[in-house]
Amino acid sequence: MVQYTLAQSPEVVLNVSGKDSRKAREKAMDQLVEMMDDGKLPTNLANGFDPQQFIEVKTPETTSDVKSQEDAVVEAVQVLSHLATLKMKTQDSREEALQVRKLVDLLFTDEPITEEQISSLKDGFKTLKTFAQSNLKYRDARSHAESARRVLDEALKP
C-alpha cells in the first residue's frame, strides 16, 4: 500500500495498493479526479496537476522497533530455557552431592573413616564437583534471567 498527498492539500491522502510506480500514481490520479468531480477536494487545481506532483506519504518505521522487541523476546525465551536446563541438572545431582558432602565433613573429625566411606567419597567427588559447578552456573543464570522474565512479562501484557 502506498499513500499520496498533494502539496496544496496535505490533509488529502490517497491510498493505492502496491508500491510507488507510474501505474500507482495513475490510480491516485483517478481518485483525485473522482474527488474533484464529487466536490470533495478542498483545493482548486486550476493550473492542472500531473501524477508526478503527488507526494508519497511514508509512515515512520515502527517495524524496526517491533523487530527489536521480537528479538528481545526470542532471546529472553532462550535465556529462560537455559535456566530451566541448569535447574534440572542441579536438581538431578543435588541429593547425591549432599550425601558426598556429609562424607567430606567426616574428613575433618577425629572419628575413624571406613574404607567403604573413603571409596564412596572418592567416587562422589565427581558428583560433588558437577553439582557445585551446575549450582554456580544456575545461580548466575538465574540473576541474568530476571531481566529476561521482565522482557517476557512486558511482551505478554494485553
Side-chain angles (χ1 to χ4, degrees), residues 105-153:
D105 286 341
L106 288 177
L107 293 173
F108 295 93
T109 67
D110 291 333
E111 294 179 33
I113 295 180
T114 66
E115 263 187 60
E116 183 183 313
Q117 288 173 319
I118 291 290
S119 179
S120 292
L121 184 60
K122 287 183 177 182
D123 291 341
F125 281 140
K126 183 177 180 183
T127 302
L128 192 60
K129 177 183 147 196
T130 301
F131 170 74
Q133 289 174 327
S134 296
N135 195 39
L136 288 172
K137 289 178 185 175
Y138 170 72
R139 289 190 316 201
D140 183 53
R142 186 172 166 184
S143 67
H144 287 92
E146 287 296 329
S147 63
R149 182 166 61 169
R150 284 191 296 276
V151 166
L152 202 55
D153 287 347

Side-chain angles (χ1 to χ4, degrees), residues 1-2 4 17-25 56 58:
M1 174 79 69
V2 66
Y4 297 108
S17 60
K19 54 185 174 181
D20 186 29
S21 66
R22 188 176 62 86
K23 188 174 182 178
R25 288 177 179 269
E56 185 180 354
K58 295 193 180 205

Side-chain angles (χ1 to χ4, degrees), residues 49-77:
F49 191 81
D50 184 83
Q52 296 308 315
Q53 292 176 294
F54 280 121
I55 299 169
E56 185 180 354
V57 178
K58 295 193 180 205
T59 56
E61 286 295 319
T62 56
T63 56
S64 65
D65 186 40
V66 170
K67 179 70 173 141
S68 71
Q69 288 174 338
E70 287 176 359
D71 291 346
V73 167
V74 168
E75 185 178 335
V77 168

Side-chain angles (χ1 to χ4, degrees), residues 7 16 22 27 29 40 83 104 108 155:
V16 180
R22 188 176 62 86
K27 286 181 183 178
M29 189 67 172
K40 295 179 181 174
L83 179 66
V104 169
F108 295 93

